[in-house]
Coordinates of all heavy atoms in Angstrom, one line a residue:
A17 N -5.8 -52.3 73.7 CA -5.5 -53.4 72.8 C -6.8 -54.0 72.2 O -6.9 -54.2 71.0 CB -4.7 -54.5 73.5
A18 N -7.8 -54.2 73.0 CA -9.0 -54.7 72.6 C -9.7 -53.8 71.6 O -10.3 -54.2 70.6 CB -10.0 -55.0 73.8
L19 N -9.7 -52.5 71.9 CA -10.3 -51.5 71.1 C -9.6 -51.5 69.7 O -10.2 -51.4 68.6 CB -10.2 -50.1 71.7 CG -10.8 -48.9 70.9 CD1 -12.3 -49.1 70.8 CD2 -10.5 -47.6 71.6
C20 N -8.3 -51.6 69.8 CA -7.5 -51.6 68.6 C -7.9 -52.8 67.7 O -8.1 -52.7 66.5 CB -6.0 -51.7 69.0 SG -5.0 -51.1 67.7
A21 N -8.0 -54.0 68.3 CA -8.4 -55.2 67.6 C -9.8 -55.0 67.0 O -10.0 -55.4 65.8 CB -8.4 -56.4 68.6
A22 N -10.7 -54.4 67.8 CA -12.0 -54.2 67.2 C -12.0 -53.3 66.0 O -12.7 -53.6 65.0 CB -12.9 -53.6 68.3
L23 N -11.2 -52.3 66.1 CA -11.1 -51.3 65.0 C -10.6 -52.1 63.7 O -11.1 -51.9 62.6 CB -10.3 -50.1 65.3 CG -10.9 -49.1 66.2 CD1 -9.9 -48.1 66.7 CD2 -12.1 -48.4 65.5
L24 N -9.6 -52.9 64.0 CA -9.0 -53.6 62.9 C -10.0 -54.6 62.2 O -10.1 -54.7 61.0 CB -7.8 -54.4 63.3 CG -6.5 -53.7 63.5 CD1 -5.4 -54.5 64.2 CD2 -6.0 -53.2 62.1
L25 N -10.8 -55.2 63.1 CA -11.8 -56.1 62.6 C -12.9 -55.4 61.8 O -13.2 -55.8 60.7 CB -12.5 -56.8 63.8 CG -13.6 -57.8 63.5 CD1 -13.0 -59.0 62.8 CD2 -14.4 -58.2 64.7
A26 N -13.3 -54.2 62.3 CA -14.3 -53.4 61.6 C -13.7 -53.0 60.3 O -14.4 -53.0 59.3 CB -14.6 -52.1 62.5
H27 N -12.5 -52.6 60.3 CA -11.8 -52.2 59.0 C -11.8 -53.3 58.0 O -12.1 -53.2 56.8 CB -10.4 -51.7 59.3 CG -9.7 -51.2 58.1 ND1 -9.9 -49.9 57.8 CD2 -8.8 -51.7 57.3 CE1 -9.2 -49.6 56.7 NE2 -8.5 -50.7 56.4
A28 N -11.5 -54.5 58.5 CA -11.5 -55.7 57.6 C -12.8 -56.0 57.1 O -13.0 -56.3 55.9 CB -10.9 -56.9 58.4
I29 N -13.9 -55.9 57.9 CA -15.2 -56.1 57.5 C -15.6 -55.1 56.4 O -16.2 -55.5 55.3 CB -16.2 -56.1 58.7 CG1 -16.0 -57.3 59.6 CG2 -17.7 -56.1 58.2 CD1 -16.7 -57.2 60.9
L30 N -15.3 -53.9 56.6 CA -15.6 -52.8 55.7 C -14.9 -53.1 54.3 O -15.5 -53.0 53.3 CB -15.3 -51.4 56.2 CG -16.3 -50.8 57.2 CD1 -15.7 -49.5 57.7 CD2 -17.6 -50.6 56.5
A31 N -13.6 -53.5 54.4 CA -12.8 -53.7 53.2 C -13.4 -54.8 52.4 O -13.5 -54.8 51.2 CB -11.4 -54.0 53.6
A32 N -13.9 -55.9 53.1 CA -14.4 -57.1 52.5 C -15.7 -56.7 51.8 O -16.1 -57.3 50.8 CB -14.6 -58.2 53.5
A33 N -16.4 -55.7 52.3 CA -17.7 -55.3 51.8 C -17.6 -54.5 50.5 O -18.5 -54.3 49.7 CB -18.5 -54.5 52.8
Q34 N -16.4 -53.9 50.3 CA -16.2 -53.1 49.1 C -16.3 -54.0 47.8 O -15.8 -55.1 47.8 CB -14.8 -52.5 49.1 CG -14.5 -51.5 50.2 CD -15.2 -50.2 50.1 OE1 -15.4 -49.7 49.0 NE2 -15.7 -49.6 51.2
P35 N -16.8 -53.4 46.7 CA -16.8 -54.2 45.5 C -15.4 -54.4 45.0 O -14.6 -53.5 45.2 CB -17.7 -53.4 44.5 CG -17.7 -52.0 45.1 CD -17.5 -52.2 46.6
K36 N -15.2 -55.5 44.3 CA -13.8 -55.8 43.8 C -13.6 -54.7 42.6 O -14.5 -54.4 41.9 CB -13.7 -57.2 43.2 CG -13.7 -58.2 44.3 CD -12.7 -59.3 44.0 CE -12.6 -60.3 45.1 NZ -13.8 -61.1 45.3
A37 N -12.3 -54.3 42.6 CA -12.0 -53.2 41.7 C -11.8 -53.7 40.2 O -10.7 -53.5 39.7 CB -10.8 -52.4 42.2
A38 N -12.8 -54.2 39.6 CA -12.7 -54.7 38.2 C -12.7 -53.5 37.3 O -12.0 -53.5 36.2 CB -13.8 -55.7 37.8
T39 N -13.4 -52.5 37.6 CA -13.5 -51.3 36.8 C -12.3 -50.4 37.3 O -12.4 -50.0 38.5 CB -14.8 -50.5 37.0 OG1 -15.8 -51.4 36.7 CG2 -14.9 -49.3 36.0

Side-chain angles (χ1 to χ4, degrees):
L19 181 66
C20 201
L23 284 172
L24 280 171
L25 179 68
H27 186 79
I29 290 167
L30 280 174
Q34 297 287 325
K36 288 217 177 71
T39 306

